[in-house]
Amino acid sequence: METESSRQWSCVIDVRDRALQLPGYRASILIGSFAAGTVDDLSDVDVIVALEDGAFDAAWQQRASVRPLDALHHWDVRPDRSREIAAHNWFTRELVLVECVFATPRGRLRLAEPFAVLDGDPAAAELFGRRGPIARTELDEYNEQLRSKGHLPEFHLLYGKFIRALRADRVRRG
C-alpha cells in the first residue's frame, strides 16, 4: 500500500499542519511503518515533532493543539521530566493510534532507521543522535517498563497486542 493512499494519511497531514503552529517548530519526522513504506490499514501514525532547543516547554503546553478536537481518547507519556522529550498520543474517531513525540536536540532523542523528514528543515533530523534498529522485543520491554512505573496506560500495550494478533490472523487465513 502506498503511504499517501492509506486511510491514515489524512492523520499524518493533519498532525503536520497543526504542528507547524507550535513555538520553535523545526520539522515533522515520520518513523515506523510510514517511514519504512510498510503501511497497512492497521498501522499507527508515529511522528516526531522536532523543536528548537529551549522551545519544548512552550510547545508542550500547546500539545493539545496537534490533535483533533474529536479525538476519542488522549494521553501523555513523559517518564523523565528533566528531558525535553515526551509523547502526546491519541486515538482518532477512525481508531487510528497517533503517537506524537515532541523533542529538542537537548532532549537526547536518538533516531533509529528508517525515518523520513516529512516537512520543515531537513537538517533537523541531523541534530538528533542515532541508534540501531529497534527490535519488537526491545520496544515491548521498554513499554512494559513504562507501564509498570505508571507512565504508560495498560490499554496502550493491549492495543499493540491486539493489532499484532489481527495481522497474524490475516496471514494465517491468507
Side-chain angles (χ1 to χ4, degrees), residues 132-148:
I134 302 171
R136 169 53 54 192
T137 54
E138 180 184 359
L139 185 58
D140 288 346
E141 288 170 7
Y142 176 70
N143 284 338
E144 181 54 42
Q145 268 184 344
L146 289 175
R147 189 211 53 81
S148 71

PDB file of all heavy atoms in Angstrom, residues 132-148:
ATOM      1  N   GLY A 132      20.753   1.948  16.504  1.00  0.00           N
ATOM      2  CA  GLY A 132      20.411   0.859  15.602  1.00  0.00           C
ATOM      3  C   GLY A 132      18.913   0.607  15.583  1.00  0.00           C
ATOM      4  O   GLY A 132      18.157   1.199  16.357  1.00  0.00           O
ATOM      5  N   PRO A 133      18.498  -0.285  14.704  1.00  0.00           N
ATOM      6  CA  PRO A 133      17.066  -0.619  14.618  1.00  0.00           C
ATOM      7  C   PRO A 133      16.524  -1.103  15.964  1.00  0.00           C
ATOM      8  O   PRO A 133      17.247  -1.690  16.768  1.00  0.00           O
ATOM      9  CB  PRO A 133      17.031  -1.748  13.593  1.00  0.00           C
ATOM     10  CG  PRO A 133      18.299  -1.607  12.811  1.00  0.00           C
ATOM     11  CD  PRO A 133      19.311  -1.033  13.760  1.00  0.00           C
ATOM     12  N   ILE A 134      15.261  -0.849  16.183  1.00  0.00           N
ATOM     13  CA  ILE A 134      14.611  -1.245  17.427  1.00  0.00           C
ATOM     14  C   ILE A 134      13.829  -2.529  17.183  1.00  0.00           C
ATOM     15  O   ILE A 134      12.868  -2.540  16.397  1.00  0.00           O
ATOM     16  CB  ILE A 134      13.672  -0.135  17.940  1.00  0.00           C
ATOM     17  CG1 ILE A 134      14.456   1.170  18.143  1.00  0.00           C
ATOM     18  CG2 ILE A 134      12.970  -0.568  19.229  1.00  0.00           C
ATOM     19  CD1 ILE A 134      13.590   2.375  18.429  1.00  0.00           C
ATOM     20  N   ALA A 135      14.240  -3.604  17.834  1.00  0.00           N
ATOM     21  CA  ALA A 135      13.551  -4.890  17.707  1.00  0.00           C
ATOM     22  C   ALA A 135      12.216  -4.828  18.443  1.00  0.00           C
ATOM     23  O   ALA A 135      12.069  -4.097  19.430  1.00  0.00           O
ATOM     24  CB  ALA A 135      14.414  -6.004  18.291  1.00  0.00           C
ATOM     25  N   ARG A 136      11.234  -5.563  17.968  1.00  0.00           N
ATOM     26  CA  ARG A 136       9.916  -5.605  18.595  1.00  0.00           C
ATOM     27  C   ARG A 136      10.033  -5.972  20.080  1.00  0.00           C
ATOM     28  O   ARG A 136       9.373  -5.397  20.923  1.00  0.00           O
ATOM     29  CB  ARG A 136       9.021  -6.604  17.849  1.00  0.00           C
ATOM     30  CG  ARG A 136       7.711  -6.962  18.515  1.00  0.00           C
ATOM     31  CD  ARG A 136       6.799  -5.840  18.940  1.00  0.00           C
ATOM     32  NE  ARG A 136       6.459  -4.904  17.911  1.00  0.00           N
ATOM     33  CZ  ARG A 136       5.864  -3.731  18.144  1.00  0.00           C
ATOM     34  NH1 ARG A 136       5.550  -3.370  19.363  1.00  0.00           N
ATOM     35  NH2 ARG A 136       5.579  -2.916  17.172  1.00  0.00           N
ATOM     36  N   THR A 137      10.897  -6.930  20.400  1.00  0.00           N
ATOM     37  CA  THR A 137      11.049  -7.352  21.800  1.00  0.00           C
ATOM     38  C   THR A 137      11.593  -6.206  22.659  1.00  0.00           C
ATOM     39  O   THR A 137      11.152  -6.015  23.788  1.00  0.00           O
ATOM     40  CB  THR A 137      11.972  -8.573  21.922  1.00  0.00           C
ATOM     41  OG1 THR A 137      13.217  -8.286  21.282  1.00  0.00           O
ATOM     42  CG2 THR A 137      11.336  -9.806  21.317  1.00  0.00           C
ATOM     43  N   GLU A 138      12.527  -5.427  22.115  1.00  0.00           N
ATOM     44  CA  GLU A 138      13.080  -4.286  22.851  1.00  0.00           C
ATOM     45  C   GLU A 138      11.997  -3.237  23.108  1.00  0.00           C
ATOM     46  O   GLU A 138      11.885  -2.697  24.211  1.00  0.00           O
ATOM     47  CB  GLU A 138      14.246  -3.679  22.080  1.00  0.00           C
ATOM     48  CG  GLU A 138      14.885  -2.502  22.763  1.00  0.00           C
ATOM     49  CD  GLU A 138      15.991  -1.838  21.945  1.00  0.00           C
ATOM     50  OE1 GLU A 138      16.301  -2.305  20.829  1.00  0.00           O
ATOM     51  OE2 GLU A 138      16.530  -0.832  22.435  1.00  0.00           O
ATOM     52  N   LEU A 139      11.196  -2.967  22.102  1.00  0.00           N
ATOM     53  CA  LEU A 139      10.118  -1.994  22.248  1.00  0.00           C
ATOM     54  C   LEU A 139       9.084  -2.481  23.261  1.00  0.00           C
ATOM     55  O   LEU A 139       8.630  -1.715  24.117  1.00  0.00           O
ATOM     56  CB  LEU A 139       9.459  -1.720  20.898  1.00  0.00           C
ATOM     57  CG  LEU A 139       8.389  -0.649  20.868  1.00  0.00           C
ATOM     58  CD1 LEU A 139       8.917   0.689  21.342  1.00  0.00           C
ATOM     59  CD2 LEU A 139       7.814  -0.528  19.464  1.00  0.00           C
ATOM     60  N   ASP A 140       8.730  -3.754  23.188  1.00  0.00           N
ATOM     61  CA  ASP A 140       7.767  -4.315  24.145  1.00  0.00           C
ATOM     62  C   ASP A 140       8.295  -4.232  25.576  1.00  0.00           C
ATOM     63  O   ASP A 140       7.552  -3.894  26.502  1.00  0.00           O
ATOM     64  CB  ASP A 140       7.425  -5.762  23.792  1.00  0.00           C
ATOM     65  CG  ASP A 140       6.562  -5.870  22.542  1.00  0.00           C
ATOM     66  OD1 ASP A 140       5.999  -4.847  22.097  1.00  0.00           O
ATOM     67  OD2 ASP A 140       6.458  -6.996  22.004  1.00  0.00           O
ATOM     68  N   GLU A 141       9.574  -4.543  25.774  1.00  0.00           N
ATOM     69  CA  GLU A 141      10.170  -4.478  27.111  1.00  0.00           C
ATOM     70  C   GLU A 141      10.178  -3.041  27.640  1.00  0.00           C
ATOM     71  O   GLU A 141       9.864  -2.794  28.806  1.00  0.00           O
ATOM     72  CB  GLU A 141      11.593  -5.042  27.097  1.00  0.00           C
ATOM     73  CG  GLU A 141      11.647  -6.544  26.940  1.00  0.00           C
ATOM     74  CD  GLU A 141      13.054  -7.067  26.685  1.00  0.00           C
ATOM     75  OE1 GLU A 141      14.034  -6.276  26.749  1.00  0.00           O
ATOM     76  OE2 GLU A 141      13.170  -8.278  26.404  1.00  0.00           O
ATOM     77  N   TYR A 142      10.531  -2.093  26.777  1.00  0.00           N
ATOM     78  CA  TYR A 142      10.539  -0.684  27.176  1.00  0.00           C
ATOM     79  C   TYR A 142       9.129  -0.225  27.559  1.00  0.00           C
ATOM     80  O   TYR A 142       8.929   0.425  28.588  1.00  0.00           O
ATOM     81  CB  TYR A 142      11.101   0.178  26.044  1.00  0.00           C
ATOM     82  CG  TYR A 142      11.062   1.655  26.328  1.00  0.00           C
ATOM     83  CD1 TYR A 142      11.904   2.225  27.288  1.00  0.00           C
ATOM     84  CD2 TYR A 142      10.183   2.488  25.657  1.00  0.00           C
ATOM     85  CE1 TYR A 142      11.869   3.586  27.565  1.00  0.00           C
ATOM     86  CE2 TYR A 142      10.143   3.854  25.919  1.00  0.00           C
ATOM     87  CZ  TYR A 142      10.986   4.387  26.874  1.00  0.00           C
ATOM     88  OH  TYR A 142      10.941   5.738  27.144  1.00  0.00           O
ATOM     89  N   ASN A 143       8.147  -0.574  26.724  1.00  0.00           N
ATOM     90  CA  ASN A 143       6.769  -0.187  27.020  1.00  0.00           C
ATOM     91  C   ASN A 143       6.273  -0.822  28.317  1.00  0.00           C
ATOM     92  O   ASN A 143       5.554  -0.184  29.086  1.00  0.00           O
ATOM     93  CB  ASN A 143       5.845  -0.535  25.854  1.00  0.00           C
ATOM     94  CG  ASN A 143       5.984   0.434  24.703  1.00  0.00           C
ATOM     95  OD1 ASN A 143       6.431   1.565  24.877  1.00  0.00           O
ATOM     96  ND2 ASN A 143       5.622  -0.006  23.516  1.00  0.00           N
ATOM     97  N   GLU A 144       6.649  -2.060  28.573  1.00  0.00           N
ATOM     98  CA  GLU A 144       6.253  -2.722  29.823  1.00  0.00           C
ATOM     99  C   GLU A 144       6.894  -2.023  31.019  1.00  0.00           C
ATOM    100  O   GLU A 144       6.257  -1.852  32.064  1.00  0.00           O
ATOM    101  CB  GLU A 144       6.625  -4.201  29.798  1.00  0.00           C
ATOM    102  CG  GLU A 144       6.222  -4.958  31.053  1.00  0.00           C
ATOM    103  CD  GLU A 144       4.756  -4.824  31.432  1.00  0.00           C
ATOM    104  OE1 GLU A 144       3.881  -4.885  30.547  1.00  0.00           O
ATOM    105  OE2 GLU A 144       4.471  -4.643  32.638  1.00  0.00           O
ATOM    106  N   GLN A 145       8.143  -1.591  30.868  1.00  0.00           N
ATOM    107  CA  GLN A 145       8.797  -0.808  31.933  1.00  0.00           C
ATOM    108  C   GLN A 145       8.024   0.475  32.213  1.00  0.00           C
ATOM    109  O   GLN A 145       7.783   0.827  33.367  1.00  0.00           O
ATOM    110  CB  GLN A 145      10.223  -0.431  31.519  1.00  0.00           C
ATOM    111  CG  GLN A 145      11.283  -1.363  31.917  1.00  0.00           C
ATOM    112  CD  GLN A 145      12.648  -0.782  31.510  1.00  0.00           C
ATOM    113  OE1 GLN A 145      12.762   0.148  30.707  1.00  0.00           O
ATOM    114  NE2 GLN A 145      13.690  -1.360  32.075  1.00  0.00           N
ATOM    115  N   LEU A 146       7.670   1.175  31.137  1.00  0.00           N
ATOM    116  CA  LEU A 146       6.900   2.417  31.293  1.00  0.00           C
ATOM    117  C   LEU A 146       5.571   2.145  31.989  1.00  0.00           C
ATOM    118  O   LEU A 146       5.158   2.881  32.883  1.00  0.00           O
ATOM    119  CB  LEU A 146       6.656   3.085  29.941  1.00  0.00           C
ATOM    120  CG  LEU A 146       7.854   3.720  29.250  1.00  0.00           C
ATOM    121  CD1 LEU A 146       7.450   4.234  27.876  1.00  0.00           C
ATOM    122  CD2 LEU A 146       8.445   4.836  30.085  1.00  0.00           C
ATOM    123  N   ARG A 147       4.896   1.069  31.593  1.00  0.00           N
ATOM    124  CA  ARG A 147       3.607   0.729  32.200  1.00  0.00           C
ATOM    125  C   ARG A 147       3.773   0.401  33.680  1.00  0.00           C
ATOM    126  O   ARG A 147       3.017   0.874  34.522  1.00  0.00           O
ATOM    127  CB  ARG A 147       2.961  -0.447  31.481  1.00  0.00           C
ATOM    128  CG  ARG A 147       1.512  -0.676  31.953  1.00  0.00           C
ATOM    129  CD  ARG A 147       1.072  -2.122  31.912  1.00  0.00           C
ATOM    130  NE  ARG A 147       1.935  -3.038  32.604  1.00  0.00           N
ATOM    131  CZ  ARG A 147       1.943  -3.262  33.929  1.00  0.00           C
ATOM    132  NH1 ARG A 147       1.147  -2.587  34.723  1.00  0.00           N
ATOM    133  NH2 ARG A 147       2.766  -4.140  34.461  1.00  0.00           N
ATOM    134  N   SER A 148       4.798  -0.389  34.010  1.00  0.00           N
ATOM    135  CA  SER A 148       4.990  -0.802  35.407  1.00  0.00           C
ATOM    136  C   SER A 148       5.311   0.383  36.316  1.00  0.00           C
ATOM    137  O   SER A 148       5.053   0.327  37.516  1.00  0.00           O
ATOM    138  CB  SER A 148       6.085  -1.868  35.511  1.00  0.00           C
ATOM    139  OG  SER A 148       7.355  -1.310  35.258  1.00  0.00           O
TER     140      SER A 148
END
